[in-house]
Amino acid sequence: LTLSCMFGFLTGMWVSAIPSALVKLIGVPLLAPAFGLLTAFRGVMILSGPPLAGMVVDVVGVKGVAMVVSGVALSVACVFYILSVLVDRRKERRAESEDIRGEYEAL
């Protein structure tokens, strides 16, 4: 029961954080296409995940390997997310420094 409550709470937080993260990353004009692509990718992954896990179990013969593969995939996704946040921050800093340079040159 405790794990179910934690899962529901954390999933709810993730669902509510997606729109603000998308707006920050790509802006309001591209929000609708971004939601469409996000939903499409989620659908493809949800449909392909269980057959791929079954294939891994059939090839290796150990059921626990599917969980390890899933964990590795989640870890790789986390790395890509962290990289995208770092790249976005770097772009913001460059834009701010260019604005400051432009204001300084105007003086």
Side-chain angles (χ1 to χ4, degrees):
L1 180 65
T2 304
L3 290 177
S4 298
C5 290
M6 284 178 50
F7 178 78
F9 179 72
L10 295 173
T11 302
M13 288 180 12
W14 176 251
V15 168
S16 64
I18 289 174
S20 61
L22 285 176
V23 167
K24 183 174 170 124
L25 287 174
I26 60 172
V28 175
L30 296 175
L31 186 61
F35 268 122
L37 285 172
L38 184 64
T39 303
F41 280 116
R42 282 182 180 170
V44 168
M45 293 302 114
I46 288 170
L47 289 174
S48 64
L52 289 174
M55 183 182 71
V56 168
V57 170
D58 288 343
V59 168
V60 177
V62 179
K63 291 181 181 177
V65 174
M67 296 300 283
V68 171
V69 171
S70 175
V72 168
L74 186 60
S75 299
V76 169
C78 289
V79 168
F80 279 120
Y81 177 74
I82 291 169
L83 287 175
S84 70
V85 168
L86 292 175
V87 167
D88 187 53
R89 285 184 184 171
R90 189 172 188 178
K91 285 181 183 179
E92 287 178 1
R93 288 182 186 158
R94 283 187 181 175
E96 288 175 4
S97 66
E98 288 177 5
D99 289 343
I100 292 172
R101 285 182 195 154
E103 291 175 7
Y104 179 74
E105 291 174 356
L107 295 176

